């Protein structure tokens, strides 16, 4: 149990375009999901906390207008990188909070490359 | 000072060795402690989850928490090449959802 999926696993886009990443909890409901960013050989950096039915809470330094988060259902959160630029290239990972164990389960990640 | 400190390694051991991975932390309010394993270009996978002080064993893995010393450990017995990955410690406070991660220790088990 406690499986989290992400789609797509890899995306390459041109500078200036927008990219949407989906995060789904497959076998449990998650009122809270998290979005992280990870640079090579570094740990995870929390970008925002996504709560079902309400606005996301962004960490300091993360532009909410650039990284749009929508948590429309108990099993789906989306992250849209708007007007992507090469510096947005990174590994984006989501996690979902399993209420039964109060534990975060992570998705497999999405590698974004902006040309 | 970071809230969670973890030696980034890299750590190389021969197959069959016992591996010891450690983290220290500064926030005495942390009550939940986790170890995640992350293979290259994959998301972290939860390995062990413990609450407060004590030991927890699961197969070849043993997690230890010493709250008095603010020190947690993960032991891997009979290490296998498939254990080669980055191991991240993480912790959080009661009632909070945010996890505080260590930087991760990169482990290589040599056949």
């Amino acid at each position: 149990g406690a499986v989290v999926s992400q789609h797509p696993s890899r995306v390459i886009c041109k500078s200036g375009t927008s990219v949407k990443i989906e995060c789904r909890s497959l076998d449990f409901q998650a009122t809270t999901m998290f979005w992280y960013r990870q640079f090579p050989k570094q740990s995870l950096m929390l970008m925002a906390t996504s709560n079902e039915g309400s606005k996301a809470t962004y960490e300091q330094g993360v532009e909410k207008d650039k990284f749009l988060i929508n948590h429309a259902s108990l099993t789906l959160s989306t992250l849209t990188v708007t007007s992507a630029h090469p510096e947005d290239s990174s590994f984006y990972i989501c996690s979902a909070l399993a209420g039964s164990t109060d534990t975060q389960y992570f998705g497999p990640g999405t590698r974004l490359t902006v040309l | 000072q970071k809230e969670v400190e973890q030696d980034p390694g890299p750590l190389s051991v021969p197959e069959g060795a016992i591996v010891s991975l450690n983290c220290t932390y500064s926030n005495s309010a942390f009550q939940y402690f986790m170890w995640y394993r992350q293979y290259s270009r994959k998301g972290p996978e939860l390995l062990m989850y413990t609450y407060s002080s004590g030991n927890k064993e699961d197969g070849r893995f043993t997690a230890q928490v010493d709250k008095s010393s603010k020190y947690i450990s993960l032991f891997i017995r009979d290490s296998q090449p498939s254990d080669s990955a980055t191991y991240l410690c993480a912790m959080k406070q009661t009632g909070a959802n945010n996890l505080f991660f260590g930087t991760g220790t990169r482990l290589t088990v040599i056949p």
Side-chain angles (χ1 to χ4, degrees), chain A residues 10 32 34 36 38 41-44 46 49 51 59 91 93 97 101-109 111, chain B residues 32 34 36 38 41-46 49 88-89 92-99 101-104 106:
Chain A
R10 176 175 289 193
T32 304
F34 302 87
Y36 294 84
Q38 188 177 35
K41 298 185 180 181
Q42 293 189 26
S43 192
L44 289 80
L46 179 64
T49 302
N51 296 296
E59 295 299 302
F91 193 51
I93 308 174
L97 186 67
T101 60
D102 204 21
T103 304
Q104 288 188 35
Y105 292 90
F106 286 84
R111 183 159 302 280
Chain B
Y32 295 87
M34 286 136 277
Y36 288 88
Q38 186 176 23
R41 301 186 180 186
K42 299 291 184 183
E45 170 195 7
L46 181 66
Y49 174 87
L88 296 152
C89 65
K92 73 183 189 80
Q93 301 179 37
T94 300
N97 292 328
N98 286 15
L99 286 178
F101 284 92
T103 52
R106 192 171 177 186

